[in-house]
Amino acid sequence: MGKLLNMLRELYIIFYKNLIFAGIVATTCLLLLLLYLEQQLPDVNSLADIKLQIPLKIYTLDKKLIAEYGEKRRTPVKLEEIPKNLINAVIATEDHRFYWHHGIDFKGMLRALSVVVTSGKKEQGGSTITMQLARNSFLTKKKTISRKIKELLLSLKIENSFSKEKILELYLNQNFFGKRAYGVAAAAEVYFGEKLSNLSLGQSALLAGLLQAPSAINPIHNPEGAFARRSHVLERMLTENFISEKELKQANFEPIDVKYHDKPIEVSAPYIAEQIRLDLFKQKGEEIYTSGLEVYTTLKSEHQKAANLSVLKSVLEYDKRQGYKGAISNVSKLSDFYNLSADLFTNELMEPGVIISDFNKNYKVLTKNTEVVNIELGSFRNSNKILLKIGD
């Protein structure tokens, strides 16, 4: 019996020593791997000077926009310019422990893993805002173990290099919101035609919800999906005590009233803008579309508008002298007219109209603003309203 106990004791000692040795080897290998990967990481301080791919903008002398060139729409803003509701909506949905962790939220990762194990579905993400910033700024979206380790290491470095406020600012200026909009300011312009300061709670929640899937739940193409996601964001804000029950209900009643808003061109001078673009392209190449160049011409907006109007008057006077040539197109119903008229060229001298009756050489013309105008056949020569006609 004593010999058996001695043998068991010796086996235990051998196993324990080997286990310790194996642990030391494994720990050493892990440290060497982390050291190797850490040396491959980019300098996170470059985030402070990162190029946000801002488009080329051309202005008049008095700062009126003539043209904008670039694939991405982006208007960088400071964190203090972003509404608190929008910041809270993003934190509540993407990383509610943002101010409490140091780049990696182990509780969040374990919670997301437990959901996957129990439900078989990835319903929650374990990535913090800092991890998302690291991935979007420096890494690919390819899912590998080495990329994930780099993401974790980068997150720790970012947290050690920047304040929480700066991390939020970088994150909210860089993220893609769909429809060529990068950053919250561009997203507010694209979807609502509004400045950030004018966003409502519902609008803020909708933009925050887009971060999950800017294409799949885009409010322009999928208003139902956007509505459901907005409701989820508002519920998360309520859970985190950012809003009250009353505010949630009011925001949920807001309609999903969005449409694509292009950048408003304030002065028409396309030939000058194109010549400037060509000259800059010859000097700097493709970087002109992403480096945030702002070009101020010697044009004054009131002079250019007066010149445009003068040319238009001359063209219209010449056209009138040629006599009325008939409607430029036919429409089958009035709703088609309103759809078409939005895209027709109009100004203070011209507006679209549709003939709704032509009894005894007297024509009734409905304008875009639903005004009915009576015009005699002989006066067509001096009319710029007749652009469309119902029927054949």
Side-chain angles (χ1 to χ4, degrees):
M1 187 67 178
K3 289 182 179 181
L4 180 61
L5 289 173
N6 287 333
M7 288 177 61
L8 289 173
R9 190 179 296 112
E10 288 177 8
L11 286 172
Y12 175 77
I13 292 171
I14 292 171
F15 174 79
Y16 184 72
K17 287 181 177 179
N18 287 335
L19 184 64
I20 292 174
F21 177 74
I24 293 172
V25 170
T27 303
T28 303
C29 291
L30 179 60
L31 289 173
L32 288 173
L33 176 62
L34 292 176
L35 181 62
Y36 170 74
L37 291 174
E38 199 275 339
Q39 289 176 341
Q40 292 184 319
L41 296 178
D43 180 11
V44 297
N45 290 314
S46 64
L47 274 172
D49 303 314
I50 197 165
K51 292 182 178 180
L52 293 177
Q53 297 191 24
I54 306 168
L56 164 66
K57 297 177 183 178
I58 301 175
Y59 296 92
T60 62
L61 187 63
D62 48 331
K63 300 182 180 181
K64 303 293 183 182
L65 184 66
I66 297 175
E68 182 178 293
Y69 298 97
E71 292 183 3
K72 297 180 179 180
R73 287 181 62 175
R74 194 194 304 267
T75 306
V77 290
K78 297 294 184 182
L79 188 65
E80 54 265 27
E81 298 176 69
I82 302 173
K84 196 66 177 176
N85 274 334
L86 180 50
I87 295 172
N88 290 340
V90 171
I91 290 175
T93 313
E94 296 295 321
D95 186 3
H96 71 283
R97 286 170 44 80
F98 174 71
Y99 287 107
W100 306 106
H101 61 66
H102 297 286
I104 304 172
D105 184 5
F106 291 105
K107 287 185 179 180
M109 294 173 71
L110 289 172
R111 184 178 61 253
L113 181 61
S114 67
V115 172
V116 173
V117 172
T118 55
S119 68
K121 298 179 181 179
K122 186 180 179 182
E123 296 179 353
Q124 297 182 22
S127 293
T128 64
I129 283 176
T130 313
M131 290 166 66
Q132 292 179 51
L133 177 63
R135 181 170 63 245
N136 294 340
S137 301
F138 300 112
L139 304 173
T140 67
K141 292 186 178 181
K142 189 176 180 181
K143 295 182 179 180
T144 61
I145 294 176
S146 63
R147 194 223 69 184
K148 194 65 179 179
I149 294 173
K150 288 180 181 178
E151 183 180 302
L152 295 173
L153 293 174
L154 278 170
S155 299
L156 293 174
K157 292 184 72 173
I158 290 172
E159 289 275 345
N160 287 329
S161 301
F162 299 101
S163 67
K164 288 288 187 179
E165 289 72 23
K166 187 62 179 179
I167 292 170
L168 261 180
E169 181 182 296
L170 290 166
Y171 178 81
L172 292 171
N173 275 304
Q174 285 192 32
N175 265 294
F176 178 54
F177 287 84
K179 294 296 179 184
R180 294 176 51 235
Y182 288 78
V184 289
E189 292 175 358
V190 165
Y191 293 109
F192 308 115
E194 293 281 2
K195 293 182 178 180
L196 277 173
S197 57
N198 296 333
L199 292 184
S200 66
L201 173 58
Q203 290 171 330
S204 295
L206 188 145
L207 291 186
L210 280 174
L211 289 169
Q212 183 192 53
S215 298
I217 54 174
N218 190 284
I220 293 176
H221 305 299
N222 184 8
E224 294 82 8
F227 182 87
R229 182 61 181 170
R230 185 186 71 176
S231 296
H232 171 73
V233 172
L234 291 168
E235 289 287 350
R236 289 291 307 134
M237 293 182 75
L238 178 66
T239 301
E240 297 300 321
N241 296 315
F242 288 135
I243 59 173
S244 65
E245 284 273 6
K246 182 180 179 181
E247 288 174 312
L248 181 144
K249 290 178 181 178
Q250 289 176 341
N252 259 332
F253 275 111
E254 287 185 31
I256 302 292
D257 185 19
V258 298
K259 65 178 182 179
Y260 182 77
H261 293 81
D262 209 348
K263 192 72 176 178
I265 301 301
E266 298 171 284
V267 177
S268 178
Y271 299 110
I272 293 172
E274 178 60 12
Q275 188 59 55
I276 291 171
R277 185 196 69 79
L278 285 172
D279 290 343
L280 285 173
F281 186 82
K282 290 176 183 177
Q283 295 175 36
K284 298 179 175 292
E286 294 285 345
E287 72 173 82
I288 67 169
Y289 303 123
T290 58
S291 58
L293 284 175
E294 292 187 350
V295 179
Y296 291 87
T297 68
T298 56
L299 287 178
K300 290 185 177 180
S301 59
E302 65 269 24
H303 293 170
Q304 183 63 27
K305 289 178 180 179
N308 290 342
L309 190 59
S310 178
V311 171
L312 180 60
K313 284 181 178 179
S314 298
V315 171
L316 290 178
E317 288 300 322
Y318 173 81
D319 187 60
K320 288 177 183 179
R321 291 196 295 271
Q322 307 309 306
Y324 178 61
K325 303 177 184 65
I328 64 170
S329 180
N330 292 340
V331 292
S332 59
K333 51 185 183 295
L334 282 177
S335 59
D336 292 339
F337 162 62
Y338 289 116
N339 291 333
L340 283 168
S341 64
D343 298 322
L344 292 171
F345 174 76
T346 60
N347 52 57
E348 57 264 53
L349 300 179
M350 289 183 69
E351 65 174 310
V354 61
I355 300 170
I356 55 178
S357 70
D358 55 352
F359 178 73
N360 194 25
K361 297 183 180 181
N362 286 302
Y363 291 77
K364 287 188 180 296
V365 177
L366 180 68
T367 68
K368 181 181 177 180
N369 298 322
T370 68
E371 176 189 2
V372 177
V373 180
N374 293 306
I375 301 178
E376 295 182 3
L377 180 61
S379 64
F380 272 132
R381 182 181 183 90
N382 297 315
S383 173
N384 295 318
K385 291 184 183 294
I386 310 304
L387 297 179
L388 302 169
K389 182 179 180 181
I390 294 180
D392 297 326

